[in-house]
């Protein structure tokens, strides 16, 4: 696990390999955000496509 927190990317998904353990931040320099909907209208329609299972 990379534990260098990027304080510009807050994250609470502890199951992700990029999560910084005790800190609620991502360790990546940047993330890719996408959608699984043709016409997203709510935050639930978006996804962090950088997610990798721990």
């Amino acid at each position: 696990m990379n534990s260098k927190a990027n304080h510009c990317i807050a994250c609470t998904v502890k199951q992700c390999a990029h999560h910084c353990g005790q800190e609620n931040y991502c360790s990546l320099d940047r993330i890719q955000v996408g959608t699984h909907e043709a016409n997203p209208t709510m935050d639930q329609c978006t996804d962090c496509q950088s997610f990798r299972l721990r």
Side-chain angles (χ1 to χ4, degrees):
M1 170 180 56
N2 185 348
S3 61
K4 182 178 176 273
N6 180 341
H7 291 121
C8 293
I9 305 174
C11 180
T12 58
V13 183
K14 296 179 193 251
Q15 296 83 354
C16 183
H18 305 299
H19 189 268
C20 288
Q22 302 295 66
E23 297 184 74
N24 283 327
Y25 293 102
C26 182
S27 64
L28 295 174
D29 292 331
R30 66 185 182 113
I31 61 169
Q32 179 70 38
V33 177
T35 184
H36 55 272
E37 301 285 336
N39 184 25
T41 58
M42 303 181 328
D43 59 343
Q44 293 91 341
C45 299
T46 61
D47 305 294
C48 177
Q49 295 176 332
S50 300
F51 173 84
R52 296 293 174 261
L53 185 61
R54 181 180 303 261

